[in-house]
């Protein structure tokens, strides 16, 4: 299933989205004009300090891992809490981008489902 073209298309799409969002956040942090529109509510929540840098760093690194094609399970696992948080944020605070975010969430869940066998060892109980 990992060799299915849909998997690779979605992997590249999710990776590109997170790389673009991560770089865009650094533009905001450096005081430059971002190349993608920023949510004022998100900037109010994150500020322009360390929290913004931490989130955007995880987005950038996770997205690069997906684009690179190595450590895909690590990239997806690192990005999943952000994806859920972004979906909740747009559901409750800024519904303007809710539909694209739900698409991102669905794509992320699909990718996790396809490689679910990679996560099985995490759920084995051992003493």
């Amino acid at each position: 299933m990992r060799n299915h073209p849909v998997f690779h298309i979605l992997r590249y799409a999710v990776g590109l989205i997170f790389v673009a969002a991560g770089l865009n956040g650094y533009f905001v942090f450096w005081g430059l004009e971002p190349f993608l529109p920023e949510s004022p509510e998100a900037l109010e929540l994150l500020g322009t300090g360390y929290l913004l840098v931490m989130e955007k760093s995880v987005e950038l690194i996770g997205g690069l891992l997906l684009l690179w094609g190595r450590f895909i399970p690590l990239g997806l696992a690192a990005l999943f809490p952000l994806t859920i948080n972004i979906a909740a944020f747009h559901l409750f605070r800024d519904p303007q981008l809710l539909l694209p975010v739900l698409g991102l969430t669905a794509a992320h869940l699909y990718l996790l489902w396809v490689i679910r066998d990679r996560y099985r060892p995490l759920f084995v109980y051992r003493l």
Side-chain angles (χ1 to χ4, degrees):
M1 190 72 159
R2 284 183 293 261
N3 291 328
H4 197 274
V6 172
F7 177 82
H8 294 293
I9 291 168
L10 289 178
R11 175 176 64 90
Y12 284 121
V14 171
L16 282 172
I17 288 168
F18 278 109
V19 166
L23 289 174
N24 200 53
Y26 276 105
F27 275 65
V28 171
F29 176 71
W30 290 323
L32 303 172
E33 188 66 31
F35 55 90
L36 296 172
E38 284 289 321
S39 167
E41 290 86 358
L43 287 177
E44 177 186 329
L45 181 68
L46 293 173
T48 55
Y50 81 95
L51 193 55
L52 177 70
V53 172
M54 286 182 60
E55 180 187 348
K56 297 305 177 179
S57 297
V58 172
E59 288 179 359
L60 184 60
I61 292 168
L64 288 173
L65 289 175
L66 294 181
L67 292 177
W68 185 28
R70 306 259 185 214
F71 306 107
I72 293 171
L74 175 62
L76 289 172
L79 290 171
F80 190 64
L82 289 178
T83 300
I84 296 302
N85 192 35
I86 291 167
F89 176 80
H90 285 288
L91 180 64
F92 297 113
R93 286 282 308 261
D94 187 15
Q96 185 176 358
L97 295 174
L98 184 59
L99 284 177
V101 168
L102 290 177
L104 172 68
T105 305
H108 203 140
L109 286 170
Y110 172 79
L111 293 171
L112 286 169
W113 178 258
V114 169
I115 64 166
R116 66 190 177 277
D117 58 316
R118 300 291 180 109
Y119 299 109
R120 287 190 203 277
L122 295 174
F123 298 101
V124 174
Y125 177 74
R126 294 187 187 133
L127 288 177

